[in-house]
Amino acid sequence: MKAVNKKENIYSFKGISKVFKFTAIQTFKNKTYLISMIMFVFMLTIMSPLMIIMSNQGQKTVKGIQEKSVDELKVKSITVVDKSGSGLSKDDIVMSLLDYQDTEITFSDDDKAEIAKDGVILVISADTENGMRKENYNVIISDDSVVSSLEAESIAKKVMQTVSNGRIAEAGIDESVSASLQNGVSTGRVYSQEEFDEKESGAISASSLTSYILQFSIIVFFVSTFSASYIIASVNEEKTSKLVETLLVSVRPMALIFGKILGTLTYILVTLILGIIGNNIATKVMENLGYDTEAQGDAFKFGVLTKFGTGYTVLIVFSVVIAILFFGILSGIMGSTCVQPEDQQSATSSVLMVGMLGYMLSIMLPAMIQNKDIVYNVMAIVPPVSFFSNAMLLATGKISWLVGIVSYGIEIILLVLIFFICAKTYRKLIINDSKKAKFIDVIKMARE
């Protein structure tokens, strides 16, 4: 083997293009990885129809439940806030809600009034969508309400249906075309007071933030941990087969690891893009078949990448790149510590553990801790959680730009640190075949 040139630049990327091309070609030619790609694309494609079917079936089950008896109804007072100018009267409401004839029904202009535990506020508003007037029937219940969401939603639907039927009758329109008129009316949904205030002010609710973080963290977890497993396997294979000794003659160590990262990333991005395309096509097909595609939620839509505008899209992509580089370099180091093929499992598990920790905490912490401001700031500045959440926290306004800058600063410092560790130790580790090095041994080696 060629003697190590002590004057060699350990940070050199000489030969990176060769490694990149070789890694990408070998990955796409590998039958195991092709099968993995097909399986992932298939899984992501059918996930949307399955979730839509299950959600729609759940809705049908709810609709199929018999109406509760009057004695079981919890709503004792209904306040109507008509912002749409529909001209609804108390008699109209009474006719809509025959089961609530003994319920106190009042009209008001204040949708922020205090709500009793057994009361609801029905807010009727109107806006324009695609040139068509659209009415929204939303129900607000108190945060400690005894009224179920099902009962509150039923009230909104009954009033909406009465209004719709009245307009159809006045217009003399045949029942066969009445369904088309429903497109201009929305039944809305049931809100707690906190959620409705957030909706009116344009703020992002806690449930929406959880959905955005879930979408983003799934992407980060997939591209980071999947690339990690491949990089470790590739490094271990080259090391045990002695191929790396040949490669290091013409390729610098840092070019070797970064070429693998870029080659693996190409494979992962193609897989992810095909999966998202398949998911969107499947969702569109289900929509054309008459299913309610909104019922599936947002977890597998991946619209979070572009939802917040061009500026935040760049920021989100930047966050994903930082995560990929961090886990990629860490994987290269852990893979180079292996001596025997069986060492690969423990090295992969170590990297996956770090990724899983960040992924799980990013979606669990907001639900576990009451003081949201504190938990959001902690999530943003503490790796590895920050890799899976800081972009969403910044895009939704849950953290300030100052905290965001500190967050990215910490991640970049950590990335530079692990880069230096890799540069100083990778050559020694990759040609070491005596015993498996522990991470503490890598740190000591880097300090020499």
Side-chain angles (χ1 to χ4, degrees):
M1 178 181 168
K2 178 184 174 181
V4 176
N5 183 358
K6 295 185 178 298
K7 295 183 179 180
E8 177 186 56
N9 182 3
I10 62 173
Y11 307 114
S12 172
F13 285 91
K14 179 182 178 182
I16 188 172
S17 61
K18 296 179 181 179
V19 179
F20 164 68
K21 293 177 182 178
F22 176 79
T23 302
I25 292 173
Q26 291 300 115
T27 303
F28 283 101
K29 287 173 60 177
N30 188 298
K31 291 183 179 180
T32 301
Y33 284 98
L34 283 177
I35 293 173
S36 297
M37 173 188 287
I38 293 171
M39 290 181 62
F40 178 82
V41 172
F42 177 74
M43 180 192 72
L44 200 55
T45 299
I46 67 170
M47 185 63 68
S48 182
L50 287 176
M51 294 184 68
I52 291 172
I53 291 173
M54 289 189 294
S55 299
N56 278 259
Q57 188 60 43
Q59 291 179 345
K60 290 181 180 179
T61 301
V62 170
K63 292 179 181 178
I65 297 175
Q66 294 182 346
E67 292 288 336
K68 293 184 176 182
S69 67
V70 176
D71 293 336
E72 292 179 291
L73 298 177
K74 300 294 185 181
V75 175
K76 303 303 179 186
S77 65
I78 301 173
T79 301
V80 181
V81 179
D82 187 1
K83 297 181 177 181
S84 68
S86 65
L88 275 174
S89 66
K90 184 174 181 178
D91 290 339
D92 294 325
I93 301 296
V94 172
M95 288 299 297
S96 303
L97 308 171
L98 296 178
D99 292 336
Y100 294 91
Q101 290 183 353
D102 297 328
T103 300
E104 180 184 0
I105 299 175
T106 58
F107 282 76
S108 173
D109 295 327
D110 186 8
D111 58 28
K112 299 185 182 298
E114 185 175 350
I115 311 173
K117 291 183 179 181
D118 57 0
V120 301
I121 296 180
L122 172 62
V123 181
I124 307 173
S125 59
D127 54 29
T128 301
E129 184 175 301
N130 297 325
M132 178 182 289
R133 174 186 167 87
K134 178 181 178 181
E135 290 186 358
N136 304 282
Y137 291 72
N138 295 312
V139 179
I140 314 173
I141 57 178
S142 65
D143 295 330
D144 57 351
S145 179
V146 298
V147 180
S148 69
S149 296
L150 181 61
E151 183 180 355
E153 185 177 1
S154 175
I155 290 174
K157 287 184 177 180
K158 288 178 179 179
V159 175
M160 179 275 293
Q161 193 62 51
T162 297
V163 173
S164 178
N165 290 341
R167 289 173 178 170
I168 291 172
E170 290 177 3
I173 297 174
D174 187 84
E175 292 183 1
S176 62
V177 296
S178 64
S180 63
L181 298 178
Q182 304 300 320
N183 294 331
V185 181
S186 170
T187 58
R189 51 161 290 193
V190 179
Y191 295 89
S192 69
Q193 281 179 295
E194 178 184 3
E195 289 176 329
F196 191 79
D197 289 344
E198 289 180 331
K199 173 181 177 294
E200 292 292 285
S201 64
I204 302 297
S205 67
S207 60
S208 295
L209 176 63
T210 300
S211 177
Y212 297 146
I213 290 180
L214 178 59
Q215 292 179 61
F216 178 71
S217 60
I218 287 174
I219 296 172
V220 173
F221 185 76
F222 171 73
V223 298
S224 299
T225 58
F226 196 90
S227 61
S229 61
Y230 177 80
I231 290 171
I232 291 175
S234 178
V235 170
N236 194 28
E237 180 181 353
E238 291 175 357
K239 183 174 180 179
T240 54
S241 66
K242 304 300 182 180
L243 176 61
V244 69
E245 295 183 8
T246 303
L247 291 173
L248 287 176
V249 173
S250 58
V251 178
R252 298 295 177 262
M254 293 308 292
L256 188 60
I257 184 61
F258 273 87
K260 291 183 183 297
I261 293 175
L262 294 177
T264 305
L265 179 59
T266 301
Y267 162 79
I268 291 173
L269 288 179
V270 170
T271 304
L272 188 61
I273 290 171
L274 290 177
I276 293 175
I277 292 174
N279 180 274
N280 289 334
I281 292 175
T283 300
K284 197 66 179 178
V285 169
M286 297 301 290
E287 183 180 342
N288 291 335
L289 291 175
Y291 285 89
D292 177 11
T293 57
E294 294 299 321
Q296 69 167 321
D298 297 319
F300 292 94
K301 291 182 181 178
F302 300 108
V304 70
L305 292 172
T306 57
K307 183 178 181 63
F308 302 99
T310 304
Y312 282 113
T313 296
V314 173
L315 184 68
I316 291 169
V317 172
F318 176 69
S319 300
V320 176
V321 170
I322 290 180
I324 291 171
L325 290 176
F326 173 79
F327 284 100
I329 298 174
L330 179 62
S331 301
I333 295 174
M334 297 306 296
S336 65
T337 63
C338 300
V339 174
Q340 302 296 330
E342 53 266 27
D343 295 335
Q344 178 181 325
Q345 183 176 356
S346 63
T348 304
S349 298
S350 299
V351 178
L352 291 182
M353 186 68 71
V354 176
M356 182 62 73
L357 179 65
Y359 171 72
M360 294 301 295
L361 289 178
S362 67
I363 59 179
M364 291 174 60
L365 282 177
M368 294 169 55
I369 302 177
Q370 295 298 320
N371 193 320
K372 302 301 183 186
D373 290 337
I374 292 179
V375 72
Y376 292 154
N377 287 325
V378 170
M379 287 170 60
I381 63 177
V382 178
V385 183
S386 62
F387 291 123
F388 298 87
S389 59
N390 60 358
M392 291 298 100
L393 292 171
L394 193 58
T396 56
K398 298 302 182 182
I399 59 173
S400 66
W401 274 102
L402 177 60
V403 174
I405 292 172
V406 171
S407 172
Y408 284 109
I410 292 175
E411 289 185 353
I412 291 173
I413 291 173
L414 183 61
L415 184 61
V416 171
L417 178 62
I418 198 170
F419 171 82
F420 281 131
I421 293 175
C422 184
K424 290 185 176 182
T425 63
Y426 193 71
R427 178 185 286 277
K428 296 179 182 178
L429 290 169
I430 203 69
I431 61 176
N432 170 51
D433 58 2
S434 58
K435 68 174 183 177
K436 184 180 185 300
K438 299 179 181 179
F439 194 74
I440 187 67
D441 298 325
V442 177
I443 300 298
K444 290 179 180 178
M445 191 181 300
R447 296 177 62 182
E448 294 178 354

